[in-house]
Amino acid sequence: MNISKRMDNIKPSPTLAVSAKAKAMKARGIDVIGFGAGEPDFDTPDHIKEAAIQSIQDGFTKYTPAGGTEDLKQAICAKLQRDNNLTYEPAQILVSCGAKHSLYNICQAILFDGDEAIIPAPYWVSYPDMVYLAGATPVIVDAKAENDYKITPEELKAAITPKTKAFFLNSPSNPTGAAYTEDELKKLAEVLVGTDITIISDEIYESIIYDGFVFNSIATVEPKLQDQTIVVNGVSKTYSMTGWRIGYAAGPANVIKAMANIQSQSTSNPTSIAQKATIAALNGPQDCITMMVTEFDKRRKYMVDRLNAIPGFSCFTPKGAFYAFPNISGVFGKKAGDHVINDSTSLETYLLETVNVAVVGGLGFGADNNIRLSYATSMENIEKGLNRIQEAVEKLS
Ligand SMILES: *Cc1c(COP(=O)(O)O)cnc(C)c1O
């Protein structure tokens, strides 16, 4: 059967691919340590589960409006006001089947053939493919390791052309854990004010931050940009709710309406039960987040120290999210047996096949000198996995 030309640039998500490979090895009885996970390893808090159970018992199990229920939209408006000092009305909110779905629908709603979208690299794996699926072209701007994996206003400015329609900003970042300070956001904002570029601000790791870092949305820092920004967030990471599939977007009412129309012609509403659970997550006690972040922080410090002690590795200390993203180019050109390490993929394969450790090669993130390790796994696994990686890397010569 023929596949449409639209699929020419589309790849499966590499992070999901590594997880699937590791799972298949585990199923064959192999003791695999997985650092591929893109989700917290904690359980969804009880009060959130209970709200879902209650909603089933209440018979709240039918279609809702395609773009989400009014009471959830109100809870989202209250959250954006409380945490981000951003004022929105429910008509400016769209609830989707995960933040990924919101991001996809933004691309469909605002991008068209010939448009360009600026994406800083290393980037979250799905951004370029979502841009391609909308017929547009990703324009990649490399954020340098010496700038802590953040792009500068000059680099942003240099990438803008008359075709630029959108700019993706993901702070804190998956995969690097880099996060822009208020001052850095102000300087990026200066480049964007007065243009008609839409800022797609992916704030999914807003709550998972360390070392006293203060999170800011670019729309908060520069109020002139609020009408030019679509804020994307969700409950997957903050409340350990990846399987519930609820994310949301906040932005100008006309774009939100267009996105809701796309949903009404494709997925229809996000799950009614998960929407009720999300209200409980947003309006309920928030101490579950502190507990999770405290635990992530211990693992983060341990993992970064261990990675920096491996010869040929150099690891930036992440400010947010739950990934370490070491530069591994110091081992390029080395060998062990049949394995020659010359890029992130060959190291990924070497570690999986020889010591059964699953990491994600940086190629899919636009960074072939790096690998990504998630610390959303137990301290015991982290210790064991890093011992194995160290042993494997020391065997290279
Ligand atoms: C996990 C993730 C998302 C998507 O999360 P959903 O589960 O779809 O809500 C979006 N952006 C980034 C950077 C992520 O890491």
Side-chain angles (χ1 to χ4, degrees):
M1 202 175 281
N2 295 322
I3 303 296
S4 102
K5 194 153 171 45
R6 191 184 312 108
M7 296 304 293
D8 284 359
N9 290 312
I10 309 306
K11 312 165 288 298
S13 165
T15 49
L16 299 182
V18 172
S19 299
K21 218 158 137 186
K23 263 186 197 147
M25 286 172 72
K26 269 186 199 158
R28 295 205 307 271
I30 301 170
D31 168 31
V32 179
I33 304 277
F35 290 129
E39 59 185 353
D41 53 317
F42 303 99
D43 200 5
T44 303
D46 282 340
H47 68 280
I48 298 174
K49 290 185 189 172
E50 276 151 23
I53 293 164
Q54 190 63 48
S55 87
I56 293 174
Q57 278 164 351
D58 293 346
F60 192 73
T61 53
K62 305 288 173 65
Y63 290 136
T64 75
T69 63
E70 194 64 18
D71 49 353
L72 176 52
K73 288 183 186 179
Q74 270 164 14
I76 292 166
C77 288
K79 181 265 171 230
L80 290 164
Q81 188 74 62
R82 176 186 75 215
D83 297 346
N84 310 106
N85 198 23
L86 291 171
T87 308
Y88 290 100
E89 290 170 11
Q92 296 179 280
I93 306 294
L94 177 83
V95 186
S96 306
C97 310
K100 192 183 239 179
H101 187 214
S102 279
L103 288 160
Y104 180 83
N105 288 343
I106 291 169
C107 292
Q108 293 294 318
I110 69 170
L111 298 174
F112 197 61
D113 296 358
D115 292 341
E116 293 178 353
I118 296 174
I119 304 175
Y123 45 74
W124 187 49
V125 291
S126 296
Y127 298 149
D129 294 66
M130 287 176 176
V131 169
Y132 280 128
L133 281 165
T137 306
V139 173
I140 308 300
V141 178
D142 280 313
K144 300 186 180 75
E146 60 265 32
N147 293 335
D148 288 350
Y149 293 109
K150 291 181 270 196
I151 62 162
T152 64
E154 294 73 29
E155 287 165 342
L156 173 59
K157 200 164 184 178
I160 295 174
T161 76
K163 293 178 180 170
T164 308
K165 283 279 154 50
F167 166 54
F168 283 81
L169 181 63
N170 175 215
S171 171
S173 151
N174 173 3
T176 64
Y180 290 81
T181 64
E182 181 174 2
D183 195 50
E184 288 164 343
L185 289 173
K186 268 196 185 130
K187 297 209 167 97
L188 290 182
E190 278 170 23
V191 178
L192 295 159
V193 170
T195 69
D196 57 6
I197 299 168
T198 298
I199 301 141
I200 303 170
S201 184
D202 182 345
E203 304 180 0
I204 196 105
Y205 293 104
E206 155 183 37
S207 305
I208 305 177
I209 45 179
Y210 312 104
D211 297 335
F213 182 84
V214 178
F215 172 84
N216 275 291
S217 173
I218 194 166
T220 311
V221 165
E222 178 45 87
K224 280 188 211 138
L225 285 183
Q226 189 179 341
D227 288 342
Q228 209 178 311
T229 301
I230 306 175
V231 168
V232 177
N233 208 328
V235 290
S236 283
K237 311 290 160 62
T238 308
Y239 303 97
S240 242
M241 289 176 69
T242 45
W244 299 72
R245 309 309 305 129
I246 298 287
Y248 54 87
N254 66 329
V255 177
I256 293 296
K257 184 153 183 271
M259 290 166 65
N261 289 345
I262 296 168
Q263 282 185 200
S264 77
Q265 300 291 13
S266 50
T267 55
S268 292
N269 62 278
T271 307
S272 59
I273 302 153
Q275 290 190 66
K276 283 284 188 203
T278 298
I279 296 175
L282 296 176
N283 292 349
Q286 304 292 305
D287 50 339
C288 49
I289 306 173
T290 322
M291 187 231 55
M292 179 172 75
V293 173
T294 306
E295 189 54 39
F296 279 149
D297 192 20
K298 283 185 215 150
R299 303 171 184 176
R300 173 184 73 116
K301 289 180 177 136
Y302 178 80
M303 186 179 261
V304 170
D305 285 349
R306 287 287 312 260
L307 288 168
N308 274 320
I310 296 177
F313 282 27
S314 135
C315 189
F316 161 81
T317 303
K319 290 283 171 213
F322 41 71
Y323 312 98
F325 200 61
N327 180 307
I328 44 92
S329 59
V331 301
F332 289 178
K334 296 191 176 185
K335 300 185 203 75
D338 293 342
H339 292 272
V340 182
I341 312 302
N342 43 31
D343 55 20
S344 64
T345 311
S346 49
L347 185 64
E348 175 191 309
T349 307
Y350 173 62
L351 294 176
L352 189 62
E353 290 180 1
T354 61
V355 288
N356 307 135
V357 174
V359 303
V360 189
L363 183 62
F365 303 98
D368 208 12
N369 288 332
N370 299 67
I371 55 172
R372 192 191 76 173
L373 295 87
S374 161
Y375 44 90
T377 183
S378 71
M379 200 64 178
E380 193 192 333
N381 275 343
I382 293 174
E383 228 178 293
K384 215 157 112 184
L386 285 164
N387 288 345
R388 290 189 194 178
I389 293 175
Q390 178 147 15
E391 186 193 313
V393 172
E394 282 170 356
K395 273 201 194 118
L396 294 168
S397 59

